[in-house]
Every structure is written in C-alpha cells, then in structure tokens.
Amino acid sequence: MVRNYYLTDDIEDTVFAHSVLSYAVPGMPAKKFNELKNGYLPWESRLELRGIKIEEAREALIQFIQMQVQNNKQCVLIVHGQESAKNAPPLLKNLINHWLPQFKEVQAFHSAQAKDEGRDAVYVLLKKETSIDLPERLPPGAKETTFLVAETRAMERRRRLAEQQGERQFAAVKAREHSDVEVQSSPEGELQNNILQHPELDSQRFDGIDPNLNPEPPLNTEARREFDNEKREQDKEKQLRLGNMPKFTTAPTPKGP
C-alpha cells in the first residue's frame, strides 16, 4: 500500500557523529531487536544518501522504504554519513533519526556494525506487506452453473408450487399467547393486598369498625352486645386471613382459685 508521507523536520533530540541511533516500536521482541542490533539479520537492499540535498534525501527515503515493503524486504541498510558544518551535529544523521519513526512500515532501526559503515549507517527492520487480495468464492462466469445456485432455484420453485396448490403451512398459534381479554396491570407503586386468604373465606370484608359511620352503642343494651359480638367475629376473621389459625387442644383450661 502506497502512502503519502509528509516527514517533519522538527528535531527534538540532537545526536552527534559518535552517537548510536536506536529505535523500536512498543512490543518489539527483544530477540529480534538484538539480531538487528548485532548485524545478524542480513540486509537485502541499500540506500546511499551521502552527498545529496535534504529534499532529495527525503524523497529518496520515502520511495525506498515503500518499494522495499512492496518487495517483501525485511532488513535494509541506509547510509546517512556524518557530513556537517564545522563544530555542528551531522544534519542528515539527525534527520534520519527523526524521519524513520514516522514511517508505519518501520519496526526498528539501529546503528550498523563496523563491517557495514558503522555509525555512518543504520539497519532498518521493515514490516511485511499485509494487504492481501482474497480470491473470489466462485470463478467469474461459473456462478450460474454451480450446484448451489441450481439447487436453490429448484427449492424456490417447489415452494411456490406448494403455495399455489394450497399447501401453505401456518405456524401454530397458542390461545394463551393471543387472548382477547387485555390484562390490565396495576399502577406502579399501588399498594397490593398481601393478606393470606383462608380457603373457607371467599370474600374480603372490612377489618374493623369506622367510629364515624358506626358509633359504639350505649353499654348494657342489646345493640351493644350485638356490636361486641360482630367485632369479635371480625377480629377472628382477620386472624384467619393472616394465617393465625386458632390452636385447638384437649387439655382442660386451668381455672383460677
């Protein structure tokens, strides 16, 4: 994949003629980097940049890196030299140290060994080309004659004929899932009656007497006795609903002295 690079010239860390250049992307295996550093990986192509102008070196570096990646080259050698003005750091060496990390194709680089120009050059480890053209599932011109397409068309014809002859099948419908009666849910937050219903009681009754609607009758009257009896029956019924069944025992009730 060809990328359009714009390599910046903003040098932050200045290097000198005797400096060793070294760089690796995060996650780079240490074993692979040591092989590059010690010159164990044979370089497969070389770029000579000594004696050319900065802009020409920039364009040559971009074209060289991309061409080597397309050719599946893994390790290359770039010679930058140490040419500089009097008592000044080598400009091209600083630019190479700043340009190479801007390439996505560069995994690592390190100053070369003495047999390969020494600190006048760098070994560069490149990534492999990842853009792979996937083949089509069927070759061109053979899609209409494949078994899969022919079988699919035959199945479609059989389905349409079955529908025309009235053999269309419907899904089973459960009456419970499609009831005509709409279930109305109680409003959220409404107080629910959680009183246990006794099996013998089939209706809800008012548990208590409203003194405003049913004032207590005078004492020692027939109305008062009926009032007290009704109140006791309501209290008993309330205990039954709450699950507090009366305890029956055959033991005699103790009497006082």
Side-chain angles (χ1 to χ4, degrees):
M1 180 183 296
V2 178
R3 295 185 175 92
N4 295 324
Y5 281 103
Y6 175 74
L7 303 180
T8 63
D9 299 336
D10 302 330
I11 300 175
E12 298 179 357
D13 299 327
T14 303
V15 295
F16 300 91
H18 62 276
S19 300
V20 175
L21 305 185
S22 182
Y23 167 82
V25 296
M28 179 71 185
K31 181 179 179 180
K32 194 73 172 180
F33 183 75
N34 289 332
E35 292 178 353
L36 177 72
K37 172 183 176 181
N38 297 322
Y40 296 154
L41 295 177
W43 52 271
E44 303 169 274
S45 185
R46 171 178 174 144
L47 175 64
E48 180 67 54
L49 296 178
R50 287 181 294 194
I52 64 176
K53 297 181 180 180
I54 299 302
E55 292 301 325
E56 295 177 357
R58 189 200 314 267
E59 295 299 327
L61 180 64
I62 294 175
Q63 296 179 9
F64 177 77
I65 293 293
Q66 294 187 346
M67 182 180 299
Q68 302 311 314
V69 171
Q70 293 177 4
N71 295 333
N72 293 323
K73 304 297 183 181
Q74 184 182 16
C75 183
V76 297
L77 180 69
I78 298 177
V79 182
H80 49 73
Q82 297 184 10
E83 298 178 1
S84 63
K86 186 177 181 180
N87 298 328
L91 179 58
L92 188 55
K93 183 175 182 178
N94 278 270
L95 290 174
I96 290 296
N97 187 48
H98 180 68
W99 285 343
L100 287 178
Q102 300 180 45
F103 286 91
K104 294 183 178 180
E105 295 88 348
V106 173
Q107 286 186 301
F109 63 84
H110 195 277
S111 293
Q113 296 293 318
K115 62 179 181 178
D116 296 318
E117 303 291 344
R119 298 182 183 180
D120 288 356
V122 289
Y123 299 125
V124 181
L125 184 64
L126 302 176
K127 293 181 180 179
K128 294 183 179 180
E129 183 67 30
T130 57
S131 59
I132 302 175
D133 296 330
L134 298 178
E136 296 182 359
R137 178 176 297 180
L138 297 174
K143 295 183 178 181
E144 299 297 330
T145 59
T146 59
F147 173 79
L148 179 61
V149 173
E151 181 67 17
T152 304
R153 290 179 177 176
M155 294 172 60
E156 181 68 16
R157 284 196 298 269
R158 288 195 296 268
R159 185 186 65 81
R160 292 186 178 182
L161 289 175
E163 290 182 358
Q164 292 176 2
Q165 296 174 2
E167 297 180 0
R168 186 172 183 179
Q169 297 181 356
F170 295 90
V173 179
K174 296 182 179 180
R176 180 177 297 180
E177 297 178 356
H178 301 273
S179 176
D180 295 335
V181 180
E182 296 183 0
V183 179
Q184 297 181 356
S185 59
S186 58
E188 185 178 358
E190 182 180 353
L191 181 62
Q192 301 294 326
N193 184 9
N194 58 356
I195 299 178
L196 298 177
Q197 180 68 40
H198 192 270
E200 297 181 357
L201 303 176
D202 56 356
S203 63
Q204 295 284 345
R205 297 179 59 185
F206 176 65
D207 297 331
I209 299 176
D210 190 350
N212 297 325
L213 300 178
N214 299 316
E216 296 184 2
L219 297 175
N220 300 325
T221 60
E222 185 67 23
R224 181 57 184 251
R225 285 192 294 271
E226 294 180 358
F227 177 84
D228 293 339
N229 292 336
E230 181 67 19
K231 186 175 181 181
R232 281 193 293 269
E233 290 296 330
Q234 290 181 358
D235 292 340
K236 181 179 179 181
E237 184 177 341
K238 181 178 180 180
Q239 295 300 323
L240 291 176
R241 294 180 184 179
L242 294 175
N244 300 327
M245 301 294 294
K247 297 182 180 180
F248 299 97
T249 178
T250 57
T253 303
K255 297 181 180 180

